[in-house]
Amino acid sequence: MFLDTVLTRNPGLVDAAAALHRNGEIPPDTYVVDLDAVEANAALLAAEADRLGISLWFVVKQLGRNPELIRAIARHIPRSAAIDPAEARTLHAAGAQPGNLGHLVQIPRRALPEMLAWRPETVTVFDLANARAVSDAARELGIVQDVLIRLEGADGAVYPGQEGGVPLGRLDAFAKEAEALDGIRIAGVTAFPCVLCDPETGVPAATPNFGLALRARELLAARGHHDLKLSAPSATSMASLPLLAERGATHGEPGHALTGTTPLHALDPAQPEMPAYVYVSEVAHTLDDGRPAIFGGGFYTRSHIRSALLPRTGTRLGVQHAPAENIDYYRLLDAPTRDADVRIGDTALLAFRTQIFVTRSTVAVVSGLASGNPRLNGLYDAHGRAL
């Protein structure tokens, strides 16, 4: 999906990744991430958001919750959005300030005292039971916690496994009961996803969920709530920040923009954010019909993979489709031409959309590519633990 973009915009990353594998410094099933590019992207996003009057909470699940990358991003975007409790703990340990907790996964009741003690800017609640739990934990700590109300998404605009939220038609009744809880304060609303990229053009556009959030904010304002936040996550990037500002969002939550891997980047290499990672595998064996099999472990069902580069010879082979219900022990490539030289152990480089935290991959953080002095900073697992 992103291989041409990386080759065009960040060829030094491709060369460094190939060399690291060739020299045995990284194993197959490794994402190689350009630390300097990630930090430069964070600085770009922070400056544009500041120009537009929007606040940012950064997301790192797609980066494998890596502490080096968290620290680099936080130098420019200090506050984060943690999508689940495990991510919240990793962000906290790396020194990022908590912006929004409960972003996609509610905080378990028993974890609330620990996490509210960090004094997050907001906590997202999906229903009244969670609002009560946050209020009870906050009262025990002697604080009042700001909460965002998650809106139930519009029909057809919610991903399976992410259901939940307050229906717009029940928001008034929900707010009335939440206002009676003395451990919380209604600080705003959110929904997911609020922005998506057009599959044909890559251009970001508002989803119906964005409209629901805007109407919800109006209803809460009519009840006397002021200075309400509206976080509009998904596809936050340099291309979509003006859309967020125009439609009245107060917060964006950049994730893939930090690595230059939104769908728009696959179609337009000239986007401001630099592509910042490649996936490294190697040829494991060859089928009798000539198709090479490369080691798996890091493939993601929504990757939109198209091709792999074998740097030793410059051969480019298509990547064959694999059913999502099967474990990705290997991934098959198209059979090369008869005169192509493909050997066991050959490096294979790919670049596609990923969520590293759901893989079993290694993450290699590199720096110094722009200056011509590449350095392997360290190896980590898919959850940010040093190897």
Side-chain angles (χ1 to χ4, degrees), residues 205-295:
T207 71
N209 296 335
F210 205 145
L212 288 175
L214 289 167
R215 292 199 293 277
R217 184 168 64 177
E218 291 173 359
L219 287 170
L220 292 174
R223 293 188 61 87
H225 296 279
H226 304 291
D227 301 320
L228 291 164
K229 296 178 173 67
L230 192 163
S231 184
S234 188
T236 303
S237 65
M238 292 291 284
S240 67
L241 281 170
L243 171 67
L244 267 60
E246 177 186 327
R247 291 184 66 92
T250 63
H251 288 70
E253 301 182 12
H256 273 283
L258 296 166
T259 47
T261 51
T262 75
L264 183 55
H265 289 85
L267 299 171
D268 180 10
Q271 285 300 300
E273 298 97 335
M274 177 78 76
Y277 68 73
V278 292
Y279 181 68
V280 179
S281 184
E282 74 176 59
V283 176
H285 58 276
T286 302
L287 275 65
D288 190 58
D289 61 12
R291 287 177 294 167
I294 60 174
F295 290 107

Side-chain angles (χ1 to χ4, degrees), residues 55-61 70 73-74 77-84 87-103 118 120-123 231 251-254 258:
S55 296
L56 297 179
W57 294 321
F58 71 91
V59 179
V60 292
K61 61 188 174 75
I70 288 169
I73 297 163
I77 306 171
R79 293 189 176 273
S80 62
I83 64 106
D84 64 15
E87 186 158 296
R89 292 187 177 100
T90 302
L91 286 158
H92 179 68
Q97 299 175 36
N100 184 20
L101 305 184
H103 165 65
W118 302 339
E121 187 176 346
T122 60
V123 171
S231 184
H251 288 70
E253 301 182 12
L258 296 166

Side-chain angles (χ1 to χ4, degrees), residues 298-353:
F299 295 104
Y300 173 62
T301 55
R302 295 165 60 202
S303 297
H304 302 290
I305 309 171
R306 297 192 181 121
S307 63
L309 173 68
L310 306 183
R312 184 179 62 81
T313 59
T315 302
R316 189 92 169 254
L317 297 175
V319 179
Q320 298 195 347
H321 173 74
E325 62 268 23
N326 290 84
I327 298 171
D328 65 329
Y329 296 109
Y330 304 101
R331 195 67 180 263
L332 292 175
L333 306 183
D334 291 341
T337 58
R338 183 171 298 179
D339 58 347
D341 178 20
V342 178
R343 304 175 188 172
I344 302 304
D346 273 350
T347 304
L349 296 182
L350 305 91
F352 48 83
R353 188 170 176 86

Side-chain angles (χ1 to χ4, degrees), residues 139 143 223 366:
R139 278 194 297 105
I143 63 174
R223 293 188 61 87
V366 298

Side-chain angles (χ1 to χ4, degrees), residues 107-122:
I107 303 170
R109 179 173 56 83
R110 294 171 184 84
L112 281 167
E114 171 198 3
M115 296 186 181
L116 295 190
W118 302 339
R119 300 309 305 270
E121 187 176 346
T122 60

